[in-house]
Amino acid sequence: METYDALLASISPASGTGRTILDPATGEAVGEAPIHSVEDLEQAITAAQAAQPAWAALGHDARSAALLKAADAVERSAEELARLLSREQGKPLNGPNARFEVGACAAWLRVAATTPMEPETVVDDGETHAELHYKPIGVVGAIGPWNWPMMITVWQIAPALRMGNAVVVKPSEYTPLSVLALAKVINEELPEGLLTVVSGGRDVGARLAEHRAIGKIMFTGSTATGKAIIKSSADTVKRLTLELGGNDAGIVLPDADPTAIAQDLFWGAFINTGQTCAALKRLYVHTDIYGAVCEELAKVAAAMPMGNGLDENNVLGPLQNKAQYDVVANLVEAAREAGARILLGGNPDTSQPGYFYPATLVADIDNNNPLVTEEQFGPALPIIRYDTVDEAVEKANALDVGLGASVWSANRDTAREVAARLQAGTVWINKHGAVDPRIPFGGAKQSGYGLEFGVEGLKALGVPQVING
């Protein structure tokens, strides 16, 4: 285990040769990230191609053992990783934030390592014996986002490595230090060249997506970028797993208890200060309990401290970058001008440093308002009134995205009936955004395709091969 300063120094380029990364809470320098080029990417891919065959030949048991050791290494450096993540991304140490994210990295490594993956006998009738196997793809390219940079990187690399692949990672330009540090720790337990982070710009990402030596791209990010990756990967017929934008709906049925669900509603929407693809981003509440839900949710939100992530008292942090801050501020202001009622927040203090936007609840808003129809990706939740369940379902399904959704009710059977009508990859009951490394996760419609997590996630990082005879 290294100290925080030693860990940061180990991933930093020579002084003055890198790109300075700023803390979104203070504007202060966190450190310098290397500026990798397309030539650096080519070297990483060449090294990955050289390392991959021996790694694949080890078999599942040996690869799993290495991943379990990598999980131990992450836990040994957990506090140093969490501090760096907090400073670079902005999320607080406490709450479902930085320490939580680092802990999730270890958990996902362990589940990827221990999920059974045996050949499947598909026919055995005495005449025909057919088995389905999954072989390594080769080299996988992983392109990650800035909101959960460590955790989502592990979602990509852990199953890829378990299945015998090498991985080249291209992190977000906003949060490269977190990913570089995580890979440095994991690489303590992996062969050289098997896992490489290339901290470059868009040219690096574009080249990774089109490169002939890359057999699969895993991408988490916007739908627009996902579409560009689809196009650039077409000539080499790459396999793709795309977890794209979402605008998740939640439906509160009239039998729900507003007080009982308020805390879970809040965290469903405001986890990571709203900067989560599968966060609750538009809430439909039956007219009978609309006022009560608004009141209870406002009580919970008002009590949540926001500030510098290194302050142990805070559970909400800044938005990670100015561009995202402007998106949230503009959408809330447009809703206000359109006549929506601001229950809480909507009044950022621009005299202080940092991209802090207060937790904001917006009521009495039209369903066609941009704050409802566009993904705000920040701490602003529109609450829309409905009269019938059919109306709520229709509104929830109206958009061209469908990553997640939720139904809130005192009757689980009723909630499941409504859930089955929603067009989303995952529908949660009385919670939202609760991903689990054992449970498949993926989007519907323009929220992407392909599954991650569990045995289905492992299969997605292999090439299916049927042996018939």
Side-chain angles (χ1 to χ4, degrees), residues 33-56:
I35 305 173
H36 290 146
S37 65
V38 170
E39 288 73 23
D40 294 314
L41 174 67
E42 295 289 350
Q43 293 177 14
I45 293 173
T46 298
Q49 287 179 296
Q52 187 270 331
W55 175 251

Side-chain angles (χ1 to χ4, degrees), residues 52 71 83 146 161 200 214 287 371 392 396 403 442 452:
Q52 187 270 331
R83 182 180 171 196
W146 49 258
L161 292 169
I214 300 297
T287 189
L371 183 60
L403 188 56
E452 298 176 277

Side-chain angles (χ1 to χ4, degrees), residues 178-240:
S178 299
V179 178
L180 285 161
L182 176 68
K184 198 266 182 186
V185 171
I186 291 176
N187 272 330
E188 294 172 9
E189 304 296 342
L190 296 179
E192 186 175 353
L194 193 67
L195 170 63
T196 307
V197 177
V198 183
S199 173
R202 292 185 178 181
D203 58 335
V204 170
R207 179 59 179 153
L208 185 63
E210 70 182 14
H211 202 290
R212 289 191 173 276
I214 300 297
K216 171 152 187 165
I217 291 288
M218 299 192 74
F219 171 72
T220 296
S222 71
T223 298
T225 302
K227 290 177 180 179
I229 288 172
I230 293 169
K231 293 175 182 177
S232 62
S233 68
D235 285 346
T236 52
V237 197
K238 283 183 180 33
R239 289 160 173 79
L240 299 173

Side-chain angles (χ1 to χ4, degrees), residues 35 57 64-65 71 116 135 177 228 245 338 405 446 449 463 467:
I35 305 173
S64 293
K135 315 295 284 185
L177 297 176
Q446 292 194 28
Y449 47 74
V463 178
I467 297 178

Side-chain angles (χ1 to χ4, degrees), residues 21-381:
I21 302 297
L22 302 180
D23 185 333
T26 65
E28 298 173 353
V30 177
E32 286 193 5
I35 305 173
H36 290 146
S37 65
V38 170
E39 288 73 23
D40 294 314
L41 174 67
E42 295 289 350
Q43 293 177 14
I45 293 173
T46 298
Q49 287 179 296
Q52 187 270 331
W55 175 251
L58 288 176
H60 281 292
D61 289 347
R63 295 195 298 265
S64 293
L67 292 180
L68 291 173
K69 289 182 179 179
D72 293 340
V74 169
E75 289 184 335
R76 287 195 298 271
S77 297
E79 191 62 19
E80 292 73 26
L81 291 170
R83 182 180 171 196
L84 177 58
L85 176 62
S86 181
R87 293 195 65 206
E88 181 179 51
Q89 201 281 333
K91 63 185 65 182
L93 291 170
N94 290 325
N97 292 300
R99 288 178 178 133
F100 168 87
E101 180 167 348
V102 175
C105 290
W108 253 267
L109 281 164
R110 288 202 170 91
V111 171
T114 57
T115 298
M117 189 65 193
E118 301 294 336
E120 177 186 349
T121 300
V122 291
V123 175
D124 188 9
D125 61 5
E127 295 182 3
T128 300
H129 183 88
E131 291 182 347
L132 177 61
H133 298 249
Y134 286 86
K135 315 295 284 185
I137 294 169
V139 182
V140 172
I143 304 174
W146 49 258
N147 58 332
W148 295 90
M150 290 184 178
M151 186 172 72
I152 291 178
T153 293
V154 167
W155 291 0
Q156 297 169 331
I157 68 176
L161 292 169
R162 163 67 194 283
M163 294 300 288
N165 304 294
V167 190
V168 177
V169 178
K170 194 285 184 188
S172 167
E173 294 171 74
Y174 287 114
T175 53
L177 297 176
S178 299
V179 178
L180 285 161
L182 176 68
K184 198 266 182 186
V185 171
I186 291 176
N187 272 330
E188 294 172 9
E189 304 296 342
L190 296 179
E192 186 175 353
L194 193 67
L195 170 63
T196 307
V197 177
V198 183
S199 173
R202 292 185 178 181
D203 58 335
V204 170
R207 179 59 179 153
L208 185 63
E210 70 182 14
H211 202 290
R212 289 191 173 276
I214 300 297
K216 171 152 187 165
I217 291 288
M218 299 192 74
F219 171 72
T220 296
S222 71
T223 298
T225 302
K227 290 177 180 179
I229 288 172
I230 293 169
K231 293 175 182 177
S232 62
S233 68
D235 285 346
T236 52
V237 197
K238 283 183 180 33
R239 289 160 173 79
L240 299 173
T241 294
L242 304 174
E243 197 257 87
L244 307 179
N247 195 346
D248 288 12
I251 298 176
V252 181
L253 300 182
D255 66 351
D257 181 341
T259 303
I261 66 175
Q263 186 96 5
D264 289 332
L265 278 174
F266 174 83
W267 282 118
F270 290 90
I271 185 172
N272 195 27
T273 317
Q275 300 166 107
T276 298
C277 295
L280 174 57
K281 297 188 175 78
R282 46 195 176 111
L283 182 62
Y284 296 94
V285 181
H286 192 274
T287 189
D288 289 352
I289 57 171
Y290 185 85
V293 169
C294 288
E295 181 181 351
E296 294 300 324
L297 194 49
K299 287 179 184 177
V300 172
M304 296 292 178
M306 173 182 284
N308 190 312
L310 297 181
D311 184 331
E312 298 278 354
N313 295 311
N314 292 325
V315 294
L316 297 174
L319 289 161
Q320 202 285 324
N321 55 78
K322 180 63 162 56
Q324 196 56 46
Y325 177 96
D326 289 343
V327 168
V328 176
N330 291 338
L331 286 172
V332 172
E333 192 56 36
R336 191 199 314 268
E337 291 175 356
R341 178 164 57 100
I342 309 297
L343 291 176
L344 182 76
N347 56 343
D349 181 359
T350 56
S351 67
Q352 300 298 317
Y355 303 130
F356 290 100
Y357 197 92
T360 299
L361 299 172
V362 181
D364 300 330
I365 184 170
D366 187 85
N367 192 57
N368 294 319
N369 189 280
L371 183 60
V372 179
T373 61
E374 299 177 18
E375 184 182 22
Q376 69 274 43
F377 216 70
L381 178 67

